[in-house]
Amino acid sequence: MKRATIVLLVLMLCITMPLLAQEKAAEKATETADKKEMTEQAEMAPPPALDDDFCKWLVGEWEGWSEGPEGKHSEWEKIEMGLNGQVLLREAVSKMDDGEYAGMGGMTINPESGEFMGYWMDNYRGMYQGKGKREGDKLTMEWEGYQGTYTNVLEKVDENTYTTTWSFTDAGGNTKEGKSEMTRKGATTMKE
């Protein structure tokens, strides 16, 4: 009887050991799959919201003027954060004697290179892709589209003022240049 009990215990161990090993392997496979899924989800998640002080400063409503070959114009611009803080959304209107220029677009920072990038479209059916860089309080962007290349240098003057200088080279190689100054709407500024 003792022998039968010992044989039975040995048989139970022989059957149980592989089952326990299979269970441990299944747990490990599940754990590995869970880690892989978490990694894939993290890779698919958007980067953290823009945390650039210059981008945050640009948010607001702006009014001002621009001057170029066609004369002096009144300007309006609204800039806000969109897409959960990932993109600066811009809308602009320039009032001229003979009409109105309107445009809108989005701009963000490439999370890998740190380069500014964006898209712009306007009521002249212009569509532009832009890239640029920030150096201190100055953002230089170059916008390219089928109508030509537009270079814009935006510089922060103070908390409520910025200036721009720009040049536009059309598809025929003709270049125009101009400048503008914008003030945050509702801001009180003192100029001496």
mmCIF file of all heavy atoms in Angstrom, residues 7-54:
data_model
loop_
_atom_site.group_PDB
_atom_site.id
_atom_site.type_symbol
_atom_site.label_atom_id
_atom_site.label_comp_id
_atom_site.label_asym_id
_atom_site.label_seq_id
_atom_site.Cartn_x
_atom_site.Cartn_y
_atom_site.Cartn_z
ATOM 1 N N VAL A 7 3.886 5.678 -5.528
ATOM 2 C CA VAL A 7 3.769 5.713 -6.989
ATOM 3 C C VAL A 7 2.706 6.742 -7.385
ATOM 4 O O VAL A 7 2.883 7.517 -8.337
ATOM 5 C CB VAL A 7 3.444 4.306 -7.551
ATOM 6 C CG1 VAL A 7 3.067 4.358 -9.016
ATOM 7 C CG2 VAL A 7 4.600 3.370 -7.318
ATOM 8 N N LEU A 8 1.617 6.762 -6.676
ATOM 9 C CA LEU A 8 0.546 7.726 -6.970
ATOM 10 C C LEU A 8 1.037 9.152 -6.774
ATOM 11 O O LEU A 8 0.767 10.033 -7.594
ATOM 12 C CB LEU A 8 -0.661 7.428 -6.066
ATOM 13 C CG LEU A 8 -1.931 8.162 -6.384
ATOM 14 C CD1 LEU A 8 -2.371 7.943 -7.829
ATOM 15 C CD2 LEU A 8 -3.040 7.757 -5.436
ATOM 16 N N LEU A 9 1.805 9.406 -5.711
ATOM 17 C CA LEU A 9 2.349 10.752 -5.472
ATOM 18 C C LEU A 9 3.337 11.147 -6.573
ATOM 19 O O LEU A 9 3.344 12.278 -7.051
ATOM 20 C CB LEU A 9 3.041 10.814 -4.101
ATOM 21 C CG LEU A 9 2.120 10.914 -2.897
ATOM 22 C CD1 LEU A 9 2.927 10.791 -1.609
ATOM 23 C CD2 LEU A 9 1.375 12.227 -2.892
ATOM 24 N N VAL A 10 4.157 10.205 -6.984
ATOM 25 C CA VAL A 10 5.122 10.480 -8.060
ATOM 26 C C VAL A 10 4.371 10.784 -9.349
ATOM 27 O O VAL A 10 4.724 11.718 -10.088
ATOM 28 C CB VAL A 10 6.107 9.300 -8.231
ATOM 29 C CG1 VAL A 10 6.930 9.443 -9.500
ATOM 30 C CG2 VAL A 10 7.008 9.172 -7.020
ATOM 31 N N LEU A 11 3.342 10.024 -9.657
ATOM 32 C CA LEU A 11 2.539 10.287 -10.865
ATOM 33 C C LEU A 11 1.871 11.662 -10.808
ATOM 34 O O LEU A 11 1.831 12.380 -11.792
ATOM 35 C CB LEU A 11 1.467 9.198 -11.034
ATOM 36 C CG LEU A 11 1.948 7.884 -11.620
ATOM 37 C CD1 LEU A 11 0.842 6.841 -11.567
ATOM 38 C CD2 LEU A 11 2.420 8.077 -13.037
ATOM 39 N N MET A 12 1.353 12.005 -9.634
ATOM 40 C CA MET A 12 0.714 13.326 -9.480
ATOM 41 C C MET A 12 1.738 14.439 -9.701
ATOM 42 O O MET A 12 1.453 15.445 -10.343
ATOM 43 C CB MET A 12 0.065 13.459 -8.097
ATOM 44 C CG MET A 12 -1.232 12.676 -7.990
ATOM 45 S SD MET A 12 -1.995 12.725 -6.358
ATOM 46 C CE MET A 12 -2.106 14.417 -5.995
ATOM 47 N N LEU A 13 2.951 14.245 -9.176
ATOM 48 C CA LEU A 13 4.002 15.239 -9.381
ATOM 49 C C LEU A 13 4.371 15.345 -10.859
ATOM 50 O O LEU A 13 4.575 16.438 -11.384
ATOM 51 C CB LEU A 13 5.249 14.884 -8.573
ATOM 52 C CG LEU A 13 5.271 15.348 -7.136
ATOM 53 C CD1 LEU A 13 6.491 14.778 -6.409
ATOM 54 C CD2 LEU A 13 5.288 16.849 -7.060
ATOM 55 N N CYS A 14 4.432 14.204 -11.525
ATOM 56 C CA CYS A 14 4.776 14.207 -12.950
ATOM 57 C C CYS A 14 3.710 14.918 -13.774
ATOM 58 O O CYS A 14 4.021 15.573 -14.764
ATOM 59 C CB CYS A 14 4.946 12.767 -13.458
ATOM 60 S SG CYS A 14 6.448 11.978 -12.822
ATOM 61 N N ILE A 15 2.490 14.798 -13.383
ATOM 62 C CA ILE A 15 1.392 15.457 -14.115
ATOM 63 C C ILE A 15 1.324 16.930 -13.725
ATOM 64 O O ILE A 15 1.140 17.811 -14.557
ATOM 65 C CB ILE A 15 0.055 14.743 -13.830
ATOM 66 C CG1 ILE A 15 0.071 13.338 -14.438
ATOM 67 C CG2 ILE A 15 -1.113 15.552 -14.359
ATOM 68 C CD1 ILE A 15 -1.111 12.469 -14.028
ATOM 69 N N THR A 16 1.500 17.258 -12.453
ATOM 70 C CA THR A 16 1.357 18.617 -11.938
ATOM 71 C C THR A 16 2.490 19.531 -12.386
ATOM 72 O O THR A 16 2.259 20.693 -12.713
ATOM 73 C CB THR A 16 1.279 18.595 -10.396
ATOM 74 O OG1 THR A 16 0.281 17.681 -9.998
ATOM 75 C CG2 THR A 16 0.968 19.957 -9.847
ATOM 76 N N MET A 17 3.717 19.045 -12.406
ATOM 77 C CA MET A 17 4.869 19.883 -12.755
ATOM 78 C C MET A 17 4.732 20.515 -14.143
ATOM 79 O O MET A 17 4.915 21.718 -14.282
ATOM 80 C CB MET A 17 6.170 19.075 -12.652
ATOM 81 C CG MET A 17 6.521 18.670 -11.229
ATOM 82 S SD MET A 17 6.772 20.083 -10.181
ATOM 83 C CE MET A 17 8.457 20.433 -10.526
ATOM 84 N N PRO A 18 4.422 19.757 -15.190
ATOM 85 C CA PRO A 18 4.266 20.396 -16.499
ATOM 86 C C PRO A 18 3.098 21.395 -16.526
ATOM 87 O O PRO A 18 3.180 22.431 -17.177
ATOM 88 C CB PRO A 18 4.010 19.232 -17.465
ATOM 89 C CG PRO A 18 4.545 18.030 -16.772
ATOM 90 C CD PRO A 18 4.400 18.301 -15.306
ATOM 91 N N LEU A 19 2.033 21.079 -15.787
ATOM 92 C CA LEU A 19 0.893 22.009 -15.746
ATOM 93 C C LEU A 19 1.293 23.318 -15.072
ATOM 94 O O LEU A 19 0.920 24.402 -15.519
ATOM 95 C CB LEU A 19 -0.299 21.371 -15.022
ATOM 96 C CG LEU A 19 -0.989 20.212 -15.745
ATOM 97 C CD1 LEU A 19 -2.079 19.603 -14.866
ATOM 98 C CD2 LEU A 19 -1.580 20.675 -17.063
ATOM 99 N N LEU A 20 2.056 23.231 -13.990
ATOM 100 C CA LEU A 20 2.541 24.436 -13.313
ATOM 101 C C LEU A 20 3.477 25.235 -14.224
ATOM 102 O O LEU A 20 3.432 26.463 -14.262
ATOM 103 C CB LEU A 20 3.250 24.082 -12.005
ATOM 104 C CG LEU A 20 2.357 23.600 -10.861
ATOM 105 C CD1 LEU A 20 3.206 23.134 -9.684
ATOM 106 C CD2 LEU A 20 1.414 24.710 -10.421
ATOM 107 N N ALA A 21 4.316 24.522 -14.952
ATOM 108 C CA ALA A 21 5.236 25.198 -15.881
ATOM 109 C C ALA A 21 4.454 25.897 -16.984
ATOM 110 O O ALA A 21 4.784 27.023 -17.380
ATOM 111 C CB ALA A 21 6.217 24.195 -16.474
ATOM 112 N N GLN A 22 3.405 25.235 -17.484
ATOM 113 C CA GLN A 22 2.567 25.859 -18.522
ATOM 114 C C GLN A 22 1.884 27.102 -17.981
ATOM 115 O O GLN A 22 1.786 28.118 -18.652
ATOM 116 C CB GLN A 22 1.506 24.870 -19.024
ATOM 117 C CG GLN A 22 2.000 23.884 -20.034
ATOM 118 C CD GLN A 22 0.866 22.984 -20.513
ATOM 119 O OE1 GLN A 22 -0.132 22.794 -19.824
ATOM 120 N NE2 GLN A 22 1.040 22.434 -21.699
ATOM 121 N N GLU A 23 1.392 27.026 -16.747
ATOM 122 C CA GLU A 23 0.718 28.167 -16.132
ATOM 123 C C GLU A 23 1.675 29.343 -15.983
ATOM 124 O O GLU A 23 1.350 30.480 -16.282
ATOM 125 C CB GLU A 23 0.144 27.760 -14.777
ATOM 126 C CG GLU A 23 -0.726 28.830 -14.151
ATOM 127 C CD GLU A 23 -1.348 28.363 -12.838
ATOM 128 O OE1 GLU A 23 -1.875 27.241 -12.788
ATOM 129 O OE2 GLU A 23 -1.292 29.145 -11.879
ATOM 130 N N LYS A 24 2.895 29.071 -15.531
ATOM 131 C CA LYS A 24 3.895 30.141 -15.388
ATOM 132 C C LYS A 24 4.248 30.743 -16.750
ATOM 133 O O LYS A 24 4.393 31.942 -16.879
ATOM 134 C CB LYS A 24 5.140 29.619 -14.690
ATOM 135 C CG LYS A 24 4.937 29.366 -13.227
ATOM 136 C CD LYS A 24 6.242 29.523 -12.485
ATOM 137 C CE LYS A 24 6.037 29.197 -11.028
ATOM 138 N NZ LYS A 24 5.935 30.356 -10.207
ATOM 139 N N ALA A 25 4.380 29.902 -17.775
ATOM 140 C CA ALA A 25 4.682 30.389 -19.126
ATOM 141 C C ALA A 25 3.540 31.252 -19.644
ATOM 142 O O ALA A 25 3.761 32.288 -20.277
ATOM 143 C CB ALA A 25 4.944 29.214 -20.064
ATOM 144 N N ALA A 26 2.297 30.834 -19.358
ATOM 145 C CA ALA A 26 1.135 31.620 -19.799
ATOM 146 C C ALA A 26 1.101 32.970 -19.094
ATOM 147 O O ALA A 26 0.815 33.998 -19.707
ATOM 148 C CB ALA A 26 -0.154 30.835 -19.542
ATOM 149 N N GLU A 27 1.413 32.980 -17.786
ATOM 150 C CA GLU A 27 1.461 34.244 -17.041
ATOM 151 C C GLU A 27 2.537 35.164 -17.613
ATOM 152 O O GLU A 27 2.324 36.362 -17.770
ATOM 153 C CB GLU A 27 1.745 33.974 -15.562
ATOM 154 C CG GLU A 27 0.576 33.422 -14.793
ATOM 155 C CD GLU A 27 0.941 33.086 -13.343
ATOM 156 O OE1 GLU A 27 2.030 33.495 -12.872
ATOM 157 O OE2 GLU A 27 0.122 32.417 -12.696
ATOM 158 N N LYS A 28 3.692 34.612 -17.921
ATOM 159 C CA LYS A 28 4.789 35.404 -18.473
ATOM 160 C C LYS A 28 4.417 35.951 -19.853
ATOM 161 O O LYS A 28 4.686 37.106 -20.170
ATOM 162 C CB LYS A 28 6.063 34.555 -18.567
ATOM 163 C CG LYS A 28 7.283 35.362 -18.924
ATOM 164 C CD LYS A 28 8.544 34.548 -18.833
ATOM 165 C CE LYS A 28 9.739 35.432 -19.128
ATOM 166 N NZ LYS A 28 10.990 34.721 -18.990
ATOM 167 N N ALA A 29 3.769 35.119 -20.680
ATOM 168 C CA ALA A 29 3.339 35.568 -22.010
ATOM 169 C C ALA A 29 2.316 36.691 -21.893
ATOM 170 O O ALA A 29 2.366 37.678 -22.627
ATOM 171 C CB ALA A 29 2.774 34.392 -22.813
ATOM 172 N N THR A 30 1.382 36.564 -20.959
ATOM 173 C CA THR A 30 0.373 37.611 -20.739
ATOM 174 C C THR A 30 1.042 38.898 -20.283
ATOM 175 O O THR A 30 0.719 39.985 -20.747
ATOM 176 C CB THR A 30 -0.671 37.146 -19.701
ATOM 177 O OG1 THR A 30 -1.289 35.953 -20.178
ATOM 178 C CG2 THR A 30 -1.716 38.210 -19.449
ATOM 179 N N GLU A 31 2.011 38.758 -19.349
ATOM 180 C CA GLU A 31 2.739 39.924 -18.857
ATOM 181 C C GLU A 31 3.506 40.610 -19.989
ATOM 182 O O GLU A 31 3.487 41.831 -20.119
ATOM 183 C CB GLU A 31 3.706 39.459 -17.763
ATOM 184 C CG GLU A 31 4.331 40.563 -16.968
ATOM 185 C CD GLU A 31 5.211 40.002 -15.851
ATOM 186 O OE1 GLU A 31 4.665 39.314 -14.974
ATOM 187 O OE2 GLU A 31 6.433 40.260 -15.902
ATOM 188 N N THR A 32 4.165 39.850 -20.838
ATOM 189 C CA THR A 32 4.892 40.396 -21.981
ATOM 190 C C THR A 32 3.944 41.082 -22.950
ATOM 191 O O THR A 32 4.232 42.182 -23.441
ATOM 192 C CB THR A 32 5.674 39.277 -22.705
ATOM 193 O OG1 THR A 32 6.560 38.662 -21.760
ATOM 194 C CG2 THR A 32 6.470 39.822 -23.876
ATOM 195 N N ALA A 33 2.795 40.468 -23.214
ATOM 196 C CA ALA A 33 1.805 41.065 -24.120
ATOM 197 C C ALA A 33 1.271 42.372 -23.549
ATOM 198 O O ALA A 33 1.087 43.348 -24.270
ATOM 199 C CB ALA A 33 0.668 40.082 -24.385
ATOM 200 N N ASP A 34 1.024 42.400 -22.217
ATOM 201 C CA ASP A 34 0.540 43.626 -21.578
ATOM 202 C C ASP A 34 1.574 44.742 -21.688
ATOM 203 O O ASP A 34 1.233 45.891 -21.984
ATOM 204 C CB ASP A 34 0.212 43.365 -20.098
ATOM 205 C CG ASP A 34 -1.045 42.525 -19.904
ATOM 206 O OD1 ASP A 34 -1.824 42.371 -20.878
ATOM 207 O OD2 ASP A 34 -1.245 42.025 -18.776
ATOM 208 N N LYS A 35 2.863 44.412 -21.462
ATOM 209 C CA LYS A 35 3.926 45.421 -21.584
ATOM 210 C C LYS A 35 4.016 45.930 -23.020
ATOM 211 O O LYS A 35 4.178 47.120 -23.254
ATOM 212 C CB LYS A 35 5.272 44.836 -21.150
ATOM 213 C CG LYS A 35 5.414 44.700 -19.659
ATOM 214 C CD LYS A 35 6.780 44.150 -19.288
ATOM 215 C CE LYS A 35 6.910 43.978 -17.790
ATOM 216 N NZ LYS A 35 8.200 43.384 -17.422
ATOM 217 N N LYS A 36 3.903 45.028 -23.991
ATOM 218 C CA LYS A 36 3.962 45.421 -25.399
ATOM 219 C C LYS A 36 2.800 46.342 -25.736
ATOM 220 O O LYS A 36 2.979 47.360 -26.397
ATOM 221 C CB LYS A 36 3.936 44.177 -26.292
ATOM 222 C CG LYS A 36 4.048 44.479 -27.766
ATOM 223 C CD LYS A 36 4.033 43.216 -28.608
ATOM 224 C CE LYS A 36 4.089 43.572 -30.084
ATOM 225 N NZ LYS A 36 3.948 42.405 -30.930
ATOM 226 N N GLU A 37 1.605 46.019 -25.262
ATOM 227 C CA GLU A 37 0.429 46.851 -25.533
ATOM 228 C C GLU A 37 0.590 48.228 -24.903
ATOM 229 O O GLU A 37 0.269 49.237 -25.522
ATOM 230 C CB GLU A 37 -0.825 46.168 -24.995
ATOM 231 C CG GLU A 37 -2.103 46.930 -25.322
ATOM 232 C CD GLU A 37 -3.352 46.213 -24.823
ATOM 233 O OE1 GLU A 37 -3.342 44.977 -24.713
ATOM 234 O OE2 GLU A 37 -4.329 46.917 -24.560
ATOM 235 N N MET A 38 1.127 48.282 -23.664
ATOM 236 C CA MET A 38 1.344 49.569 -23.009
ATOM 237 C C MET A 38 2.371 50.398 -23.780
ATOM 238 O O MET A 38 2.209 51.606 -23.936
ATOM 239 C CB MET A 38 1.790 49.357 -21.562
ATOM 240 C CG MET A 38 0.662 48.877 -20.660
ATOM 241 S SD MET A 38 1.139 48.403 -18.978
ATOM 242 C CE MET A 38 2.312 49.607 -18.501
ATOM 243 N N THR A 39 3.416 49.761 -24.287
ATOM 244 C CA THR A 39 4.432 50.464 -25.067
ATOM 245 C C THR A 39 3.826 51.003 -26.362
ATOM 246 O O THR A 39 4.068 52.149 -26.735
ATOM 247 C CB THR A 39 5.618 49.527 -25.378
ATOM 248 O OG1 THR A 39 6.166 49.084 -24.149
ATOM 249 C CG2 THR A 39 6.678 50.222 -26.191
ATOM 250 N N GLU A 40 3.028 50.174 -27.040
ATOM 251 C CA GLU A 40 2.388 50.611 -28.276
ATOM 252 C C GLU A 40 1.439 51.777 -28.019
ATOM 253 O O GLU A 40 1.389 52.728 -28.792
ATOM 254 C CB GLU A 40 1.632 49.452 -28.932
ATOM 255 C CG GLU A 40 2.549 48.418 -29.558
ATOM 256 C CD GLU A 40 1.798 47.183 -30.066
ATOM 257 O OE1 GLU A 40 0.573 47.079 -29.853
ATOM 258 O OE2 GLU A 40 2.457 46.318 -30.678
ATOM 259 N N GLN A 41 0.694 51.730 -26.919
ATOM 260 C CA GLN A 41 -0.214 52.822 -26.585
ATOM 261 C C GLN A 41 0.561 54.097 -26.299
ATOM 262 O O GLN A 41 0.162 55.180 -26.713
ATOM 263 C CB GLN A 41 -1.090 52.453 -25.391
ATOM 264 C CG GLN A 41 -2.155 51.431 -25.712
ATOM 265 C CD GLN A 41 -2.936 50.995 -24.479
ATOM 266 O OE1 GLN A 41 -2.594 51.336 -23.358
ATOM 267 N NE2 GLN A 41 -3.989 50.234 -24.707
ATOM 268 N N ALA A 42 1.695 53.982 -25.593
ATOM 269 C CA ALA A 42 2.516 55.152 -25.303
ATOM 270 C C ALA A 42 3.082 55.744 -26.582
ATOM 271 O O ALA A 42 3.164 56.960 -26.733
ATOM 272 C CB ALA A 42 3.645 54.781 -24.341
ATOM 273 N N GLU A 43 3.475 54.882 -27.541
ATOM 274 C CA GLU A 43 4.015 55.377 -28.802
ATOM 275 C C GLU A 43 2.931 56.061 -29.626
ATOM 276 O O GLU A 43 3.220 56.951 -30.404
ATOM 277 C CB GLU A 43 4.626 54.226 -29.594
ATOM 278 C CG GLU A 43 5.927 53.715 -29.003
ATOM 279 C CD GLU A 43 6.451 52.469 -29.695
ATOM 280 O OE1 GLU A 43 5.774 51.938 -30.601
ATOM 281 O OE2 GLU A 43 7.546 52.021 -29.316
ATOM 282 N N MET A 44 1.681 55.642 -29.481
ATOM 283 C CA MET A 44 0.583 56.219 -30.248
ATOM 284 C C MET A 44 0.033 57.488 -29.598
ATOM 285 O O MET A 44 -0.675 58.244 -30.237
ATOM 286 C CB MET A 44 -0.545 55.192 -30.418
ATOM 287 C CG MET A 44 -0.144 54.024 -31.300
ATOM 288 S SD MET A 44 -1.434 52.779 -31.446
ATOM 289 C CE MET A 44 -2.762 53.716 -32.172
ATOM 290 N N ALA A 45 0.338 57.733 -28.340
ATOM 291 C CA ALA A 45 -0.171 58.902 -27.633
ATOM 292 C C ALA A 45 0.512 60.156 -28.168
ATOM 293 O O ALA A 45 1.681 60.123 -28.543
ATOM 294 C CB ALA A 45 0.096 58.758 -26.146
ATOM 295 N N PRO A 46 -0.217 61.271 -28.211
ATOM 296 C CA PRO A 46 0.419 62.514 -28.664
ATOM 297 C C PRO A 46 1.480 62.968 -27.668
ATOM 298 O O PRO A 46 1.446 62.581 -26.502
ATOM 299 C CB PRO A 46 -0.749 63.511 -28.711
ATOM 300 C CG PRO A 46 -1.805 62.943 -27.843
ATOM 301 C CD PRO A 46 -1.606 61.461 -27.832
ATOM 302 N N PRO A 47 2.413 63.798 -28.138
ATOM 303 C CA PRO A 47 3.414 64.326 -27.207
ATOM 304 C C PRO A 47 2.735 65.268 -26.215
ATOM 305 O O PRO A 47 1.578 65.656 -26.407
ATOM 306 C CB PRO A 47 4.375 65.085 -28.128
ATOM 307 C CG PRO A 47 3.604 65.385 -29.355
ATOM 308 C CD PRO A 47 2.572 64.300 -29.493
ATOM 309 N N PRO A 48 3.428 65.655 -25.169
ATOM 310 C CA PRO A 48 2.838 66.622 -24.233
ATOM 311 C C PRO A 48 2.489 67.915 -24.977
ATOM 312 O O PRO A 48 3.068 68.226 -26.014
ATOM 313 C CB PRO A 48 3.954 66.874 -23.220
ATOM 314 C CG PRO A 48 4.933 65.762 -23.401
ATOM 315 C CD PRO A 48 4.772 65.253 -24.796
ATOM 316 N N ALA A 49 1.532 68.671 -24.444
ATOM 317 C CA ALA A 49 1.128 69.944 -25.055
ATOM 318 C C ALA A 49 2.339 70.870 -25.185
ATOM 319 O O ALA A 49 3.322 70.732 -24.461
ATOM 320 C CB ALA A 49 0.048 70.604 -24.206
ATOM 321 N N LEU A 50 2.237 71.810 -26.143
ATOM 322 C CA LEU A 50 3.318 72.777 -26.337
ATOM 323 C C LEU A 50 3.608 73.485 -25.019
ATOM 324 O O LEU A 50 2.710 74.029 -24.388
ATOM 325 C CB LEU A 50 2.920 73.823 -27.382
ATOM 326 C CG LEU A 50 2.895 73.380 -28.832
ATOM 327 C CD1 LEU A 50 2.378 74.507 -29.722
ATOM 328 C CD2 LEU A 50 4.264 72.943 -29.299
ATOM 329 N N ASP A 51 4.857 73.482 -24.635
ATOM 330 C CA ASP A 51 5.252 74.131 -23.396
ATOM 331 C C ASP A 51 6.312 75.183 -23.697
ATOM 332 O O ASP A 51 7.255 75.363 -22.950
ATOM 333 C CB ASP A 51 5.772 73.090 -22.397
ATOM 334 C CG ASP A 51 5.916 73.673 -20.999
ATOM 335 O OD1 ASP A 51 5.221 74.650 -20.685
ATOM 336 O OD2 ASP A 51 6.749 73.169 -20.232
ATOM 337 N N ASP A 52 6.143 75.867 -24.823
ATOM 338 C CA ASP A 52 7.089 76.875 -25.272
ATOM 339 C C ASP A 52 6.578 78.248 -24.843
ATOM 340 O O ASP A 52 5.450 78.620 -25.167
ATOM 341 C CB ASP A 52 7.219 76.800 -26.803
ATOM 342 C CG ASP A 52 8.177 77.825 -27.346
ATOM 343 O OD1 ASP A 52 9.398 77.596 -27.239
ATOM 344 O OD2 ASP A 52 7.699 78.856 -27.856
ATOM 345 N N ASP A 53 7.384 79.006 -24.101
ATOM 346 C CA ASP A 53 6.942 80.307 -23.600
ATOM 347 C C ASP A 53 6.584 81.273 -24.731
ATOM 348 O O ASP A 53 5.661 82.072 -24.602
ATOM 349 C CB ASP A 53 7.987 80.915 -22.664
ATOM 350 C CG ASP A 53 9.330 81.172 -23.337
ATOM 351 O OD1 ASP A 53 9.741 80.370 -24.200
ATOM 352 O OD2 ASP A 53 9.980 82.177 -22.994
ATOM 353 N N PHE A 54 7.284 81.199 -25.846
ATOM 354 C CA PHE A 54 7.004 82.081 -26.980
ATOM 355 C C PHE A 54 5.623 81.767 -27.572
ATOM 356 O O PHE A 54 4.845 82.665 -27.860
ATOM 357 C CB PHE A 54 8.094 81.918 -28.043
ATOM 358 C CG PHE A 54 8.112 82.992 -29.087
ATOM 359 C CD1 PHE A 54 8.637 84.237 -28.804
ATOM 360 C CD2 PHE A 54 7.617 82.757 -30.350
ATOM 361 C CE1 PHE A 54 8.674 85.237 -29.775
ATOM 362 C CE2 PHE A 54 7.643 83.741 -31.324
ATOM 363 C CZ PHE A 54 8.173 84.987 -31.034
#
